[in-house]
Amino acid sequence: MVWIVIGCFFVILSVAAWLAMFPDARDAAADVVARMLHRGSAAGDRLRRRASTQASDSGQILRKKGTRYARHMSRNKYLFIAAAAMVVLPVALILGLRQKVILDGGVDPIPVASSSQIRELLEGENLVPPEPPPPEVFVEAERELAQLSPTARLSIAAPEQIVSADRRWEQIDPDFKQRVLAIYKVMEGRGIKMVLVEGFRSAQRQAELAAGGKATRAGAGQSCHQYGLAVDSAPMRNGKLQWDMNDAWTRDAYFLYGQLAQEAGLEWGGQWRSIKDYVHLEHKTQCRAARRAAGAG
C-alpha cells in the first residue's frame, strides 16, 4: 500500500512540475484533451488529414521542440532543481521513516520491534519478580535528586519521594504484573536491568503527590497506581538508578521500555503530552474499568 501511495504521489508531482515548467507542455496537454473531446467520424477524418499533412514535417518539429526545451531548461535550471527536490524529498522521507514509530505527543523515533519475545513470555509460565536492590540504592537516589538544581531536575525522569514508595509486587494486579515482568525480562536480555521504583499507591500518598503538582496531576482515586495497574521503573547501571534523559544510554533504555510496553498492550508515560513520565507504565483499559467500579470516573 505504501508503494502505491508513493508511486501515485511521484506521478502527480512529476506531471505537475512538467506542466508548470514548460509552456509547450501545457499547450500539448490542452491539445490532447481537446482532441479527446471530439467524437465521431468527422473528427476522425480531420485528425487523419492533419496527421497526413504534418507527417513530413514531424522530424523537423521534434528537433525544433527539443532544442527549445533544452534552452528553456538551461534558462530555468534552478526552477527545475527545485521541482525535482519537491518530487524526490517526500519520497525519501517516507522511505527513511517507514521503519520508525513516532509516539503520540512526542518527537522521539523508536525502532519498530521485530521479535515476538513479549508474546512468547506472556504465553509461557508465570514470571517471577527479580530480586530487589538493597534499600540503600533508593536512599542514595533520593539524596542525589534532592541536591539537583531546578534546572538540572528538568531532564530527570525520576518520580517523587522514592524511599517511601511501595515496591511490593503482590500489591500489583497479577495480569499487569506479568506484562511488566515480561518487559523486564526482554530488557535484561539486552543488558538492561530494570528496577521497580513504585507500584501500589495509597489515596493519601496520591493526594500528597498531586498537591505538589510536579509528579502527577491525578488526584486521589484517579491514578492507576491506586488500583495496582501502574508501576514506575528505572534502569540500573553501576549500582545506581538512572534518570538523566540527557544521557544517551539512559534515554535509549527508557525508549526501549516504552516500545516494549506498546508490545505488551500497556501505555507508557513517555508518550503523554503534558507531563512526560518516562518511568511510568499503566494498563489503561483495566484502569478505566477499575475507576468506574470504584465510582471515581
Side-chain angles (χ1 to χ4, degrees):
M1 185 63 184
V2 172
W3 288 109
I4 295 174
V5 173
I6 292 173
C8 293
F9 185 74
F10 180 87
V11 170
I12 291 170
L13 276 182
S14 298
V15 172
W18 178 52
L19 293 176
M21 292 174 57
F22 302 114
D24 288 343
R26 290 197 298 271
D27 294 341
D31 185 57
V32 169
V33 172
R35 280 184 289 171
M36 290 177 63
L37 295 176
H38 290 285
R39 306 287 184 180
S41 61
D45 291 339
R46 285 196 299 272
L47 288 174
R48 283 193 294 273
R49 287 197 299 270
R50 183 182 302 172
S52 177
T53 302
Q54 294 180 349
S56 60
D57 299 328
S58 61
Q60 184 177 357
I61 291 173
L62 287 174
R63 283 193 297 272
K64 287 181 178 180
K65 286 189 176 182
T67 303
R68 187 161 61 250
Y69 285 152
R71 287 199 301 267
H72 185 74
M73 289 177 64
S74 178
R75 288 196 302 267
N76 299 277
K77 59 184 177 182
Y78 295 112
L79 180 60
F80 181 81
I81 293 172
M86 288 174 59
V87 173
V88 173
L89 287 179
V91 177
L93 287 173
I94 292 172
L95 293 175
L97 295 175
R98 76 185 190 277
Q99 292 299 323
K100 296 179 179 178
V101 173
I102 304 298
L103 294 176
D104 186 24
V107 295
D108 302 286
I110 58 177
V112 175
S114 58
S115 71
S116 58
Q117 288 177 282
I118 294 290
R119 185 177 67 252
E120 291 172 357
L121 287 168
L122 292 176
E123 291 175 351
E125 61 186 46
N126 282 346
L127 299 169
V128 178
E131 193 70 24
E136 292 76 18
V137 169
F138 302 101
V139 174
E140 178 65 16
E142 190 166 287
R143 185 188 67 79
E144 290 182 353
L145 290 170
Q147 296 175 349
L148 294 175
S149 66
T151 303
R153 194 68 170 79
L154 294 176
S155 65
I156 301 300
E160 300 289 330
Q161 303 179 23
I162 299 170
V163 174
S164 59
D166 191 326
R167 285 179 278 276
R168 292 175 294 172
W169 283 98
E170 59 269 22
Q171 293 287 89
I172 299 173
D173 176 85
D175 174 71
F176 175 62
K177 177 172 69 175
Q178 288 299 302
R179 294 171 191 253
V180 175
L181 291 176
I183 293 169
Y184 281 22
K185 191 76 173 178
V186 174
M187 295 190 71
E188 184 180 5
R190 301 187 189 183
I192 303 171
K193 176 179 174 58
M194 294 299 292
V195 172
L196 177 65
V197 178
E198 182 168 19
F200 174 78
R201 188 181 291 168
S202 68
Q204 179 182 353
R205 176 176 170 82
Q206 184 64 37
E208 291 174 357
L209 293 175
K214 295 180 181 179
T216 180
R217 293 178 183 172
Q222 296 297 317
S223 172
C224 297
H225 281 282
Q226 292 180 248
Y227 305 99
L229 290 164
V231 297
D232 293 339
S233 309
M236 191 169 181
R237 180 174 58 171
N238 299 328
K240 290 187 176 184
L241 301 177
Q242 303 297 310
W243 322 100
D244 188 0
M245 295 300 287
N246 287 330
D247 175 71
W249 184 91
T250 303
R251 186 178 180 83
D252 288 346
Y254 277 112
F255 275 90
L256 175 59
Y257 179 61
Q259 173 194 336
L260 295 173
Q262 289 182 320
E263 291 186 29
L266 305 179
E267 179 163 315
W268 176 48
Q271 70 185 93
W272 291 348
R273 292 183 181 277
S274 54
I275 298 177
K276 295 288 186 182
D277 197 354
Y278 296 103
V279 300
H280 182 89
L281 295 183
E282 65 181 48
H283 199 317
K284 191 170 185 177
T285 304
Q286 296 299 325
C287 182
R288 284 176 175 170
R291 283 202 299 260
R292 286 195 297 269

